[in-house]
Each structure stands twice: as C-alpha cells, then as structure tokens.
Amino acid sequence: MKIEMAKHSGFCMGVKNAILKIVDELNTSQEQILVYGPLIHNPQTIEVLRQRGLITINSLNEITNRQIAIRTHGIPVDENRMIRDKASRTINLTCSRVARVQSIIKKYSKSGYYTIIIGDHDHAEVIGLKSYAAAGVTVVSDKNDIDNIPAEKKYIVVSQTTHERREFEQIVEMITAKLREVLIIDTICDSTRLRQDDVTEGIRKGIDTLVVVGGKNSANTTRLAKIGTDNNIKTIHIETEDELKHEYFEGS
C-alpha cells in the first residue's frame, strides 16, 4: 500500500496566526479571555485552547468589561460594534482573507452594487459577510438560489473563502448568463484552492482512497471530502487517528 501526503496539508495561514496569537494572549494576560463562537472549526484544537483557559461563549449578554476575542470567521457588523462598545478589550482574530471580503462588500455596497455571496447560508463567515452588504444581498448555495436574486442595476459576486472552486465557477457562469452588469471577484483563499488542487491531482493520478483529516464541522475539510465522493473515490473523513480502522484499507 502506498501512502502519499498532500503537499498543502495542515492549518492555513489564518488559523495558524489566530492560534499563535491567542496562545500568546493566554500566556500573558492576567484576565480571562472569551471568544465569541468557536475560534476555528476544529474540536480538538478548541479543547486544547479550553484547557489553556480560553472560554467559548455563544451569547453577548455578559461581555461588559471582559476581554473578547473575535473568531477567525468574522462576525456581523452590529455584533462587532457591541463587543467594541462593551468589552474592556477586543482581540480581533478575523482571518485576513475574510476581512478582505468584508472590505470588498463594504466598498462596492457604498457604490450601489447589490451583493451576491456564493457560499453556505448558515456558515459563520457568510453570516458575517452579509452584514456588510448595505445595498442588499443574496446568498447562493446552489443553482436554485439564483432565482432569488432580485432585479438590480449592478451586482458584485464574491465567494465564501472556503468554497469549492468548481462549484463557484459553475454558479458564476449561470449568474452571468442571466444578469447584466455583474462584477466577479474571486475571493476563495489560496490555501483552499491549493488543498482542492491537491485532491484533484491525486484523483487524476489514480488514488483509490482519500483520507481527509479535519473538523467535521469545517467547510474546508468537508468540501475536500466532497471532491472525493463526487469523483467516486473511497473517502474517509476523520478528526483523530482513533477513527481509522484496518478494514478501510483492505485491498488498497
């Protein structure tokens, strides 16, 4: 049996930076640090950070005079404003790639562009991005959502940073065929693209089994697994080594 490690495995730049920064904060702060929502979508890493003292909260009811960290996925504008008004200190761990998409939407919304976000409706990143679209927004998760886009003079199309590239390109093609005055800005992050390319290249070379290691609540790793299943490749999505079984690899 031959095992090949993908070239671009491991945490992406945004996650690495967030973990390094929050660990440094935990090591030096004299006060508790709370993060609003899971810092990243990796339960094992979240547990390690919890053991170091990081407290995850899912409500902004009790944040007055507390240190609050903002998750890598970003948060809605009004929640960001509330944290900055009430918290004693804000630690912004929003991924720079996500912050870039927020800035793009904000900029073009001011010029009257209607925003179309290609991504998952209920993903934390997308929920945050929507709040920057002052001139209106529609989230497109699949081709059926295209019919929900209202008639406007001009549009900007962006993507959730972890979206699957092939699906993004297919949806963009359908949108541009239907609407006029559409500005497309590809906001899928490099790390996502490279990981997806690794899987696609492995399939091209003839792999018969794909093992994806990462949070099962992560859009990034879930999409990698989907590329495998969509191409009829035996795909195993795990979070820890304990989930691997010998029978998965019989005959490989």
Side-chain angles (χ1 to χ4, degrees), residues 157-169:
V157 177
V158 296
S159 174
Q160 178 182 329
T161 58
T162 55
H163 205 70
E164 201 266 305
R165 174 163 297 281
R166 181 182 60 178
E167 188 174 287
F168 171 76
E169 291 172 348

Side-chain angles (χ1 to χ4, degrees), residues 31-230:
E31 299 178 31
Q32 284 185 328
I33 299 176
L34 286 61
V35 60
Y36 178 44
L39 179 65
I40 60 173
H41 282 151
N42 186 293
Q44 289 70 38
T45 302
I46 292 297
E47 175 58 21
V48 170
L49 293 173
R50 186 193 67 78
Q51 292 175 11
R52 283 177 168 266
L54 184 64
I55 300 172
T56 300
I57 60 172
N58 295 301
S59 167
L60 296 179
N61 291 335
E62 298 181 8
I63 63 168
T64 302
N65 297 325
R66 309 290 294 276
Q67 291 190 104
I68 308 296
I70 295 174
R71 62 194 297 180
T72 54
H73 307 93
I75 59 177
V77 172
D78 59 340
E79 294 181 345
N80 200 327
R81 187 178 299 117
M82 182 185 299
I83 289 173
R84 294 185 183 282
D85 287 344
K86 293 187 175 182
S88 61
R89 179 167 173 253
T90 302
I91 305 167
N92 187 5
L93 301 177
T94 305
C95 171
S96 60
R97 300 292 195 273
V98 174
R100 172 176 174 262
V101 189
Q102 294 173 346
S103 297
I104 289 170
I105 295 173
K106 183 178 180 179
K107 172 185 174 182
Y108 283 93
S109 289
K110 287 181 178 179
S111 298
Y113 281 80
Y114 186 91
T115 300
I116 300 170
I117 302 171
I118 298 177
D120 301 321
H121 285 275
D122 56 354
H123 192 276
E125 177 188 332
V126 173
I127 292 170
L129 293 178
K130 287 167 58 179
S131 69
Y132 287 83
V137 60
T138 295
V139 176
V140 176
S141 290
D142 56 46
K143 63 181 181 180
N144 296 321
D145 290 327
I146 296 175
D147 292 335
N148 298 329
I149 302 171
E152 300 288 345
K153 291 183 178 180
K154 51 187 179 180
Y155 304 86
I156 181 173
V157 177
V158 296
S159 174
Q160 178 182 329
T161 58
T162 55
H163 205 70
E164 201 266 305
R165 174 163 297 281
R166 181 182 60 178
E167 188 174 287
F168 171 76
E169 291 172 348
Q170 290 172 346
I171 292 175
V172 163
E173 186 175 342
M174 288 184 279
I175 288 173
T176 53
K178 179 179 179 179
L179 304 174
R180 296 181 179 181
E181 292 293 319
V182 181
L183 174 63
I184 310 294
I185 301 181
D186 183 349
T187 55
I188 298 175
C189 83
D190 292 340
S191 293
T192 295
R193 176 180 59 80
L194 292 170
R195 284 166 172 73
Q196 292 174 3
D197 287 349
D198 282 347
V199 174
T200 302
E201 178 65 12
I203 293 171
R204 188 188 67 79
K205 289 181 177 179
I207 63 169
D208 54 29
T209 303
L210 171 67
V211 179
V212 178
V213 182
K216 293 178 181 177
N217 59 342
S218 164
N220 226 329
T221 51
T222 299
R223 291 189 186 285
L224 293 178
K226 186 175 184 295
I227 294 173
T229 55
D230 284 351

Side-chain angles (χ1 to χ4, degrees), residues 1-44:
M1 179 173 64
K2 180 181 179 182
I3 299 174
E4 183 176 347
M5 179 76 73
K7 294 178 182 177
H8 302 97
S9 57
F11 285 139
C12 66
M13 175 273 296
V15 169
K16 284 181 183 177
N17 288 347
I19 292 173
L20 289 173
K21 185 172 181 180
I22 200 63
V23 168
D24 183 60
E25 293 282 354
L26 290 168
N27 288 341
T28 58
S29 178
Q30 300 301 310
E31 299 178 31
Q32 284 185 328
I33 299 176
L34 286 61
V35 60
Y36 178 44
L39 179 65
I40 60 173
H41 282 151
N42 186 293
Q44 289 70 38

